[in-house]
Amino acid sequence: MARKPNYNFERAERDRLKAAKVAEKARAKAEARERARLEADPSARPADDDQD
């Protein structure tokens, strides 16, 4: 016997997976932008206050 489809759940799962993928790509792009900015301007590095 075939299962009864739950279209709302399946759509929510697809949307959730898409959102996670988009968020991961956005985070990676932000890190790449920050890395490129720091390489272009080394004086913009944040100061490390926890050094003794």
Side-chain angles (χ1 to χ4, degrees), residues 14-34:
R14 284 194 309 269
D15 291 344
R16 184 184 63 80
L17 292 173
K18 279 184 198 177
K21 188 174 181 178
V22 167
E24 178 64 24
K25 283 179 74 174
R27 186 187 62 78
K29 284 184 80 170
E31 288 178 359
R33 261 194 323 270
E34 182 68 18

Side-chain angles (χ1 to χ4, degrees), residues 1-47:
M1 178 176 231
R3 69 175 181 85
K4 181 179 175 186
N6 188 345
Y7 298 114
N8 290 333
F9 173 76
E10 291 169 4
R11 182 172 193 89
E13 276 297 297
R14 284 194 309 269
D15 291 344
R16 184 184 63 80
L17 292 173
K18 279 184 198 177
K21 188 174 181 178
V22 167
E24 178 64 24
K25 283 179 74 174
R27 186 187 62 78
K29 284 184 80 170
E31 288 178 359
R33 261 194 323 270
E34 182 68 18
R35 197 169 29 254
R37 185 182 65 84
L38 290 176
E39 288 175 0
D41 186 14
S43 64
R45 291 184 188 274

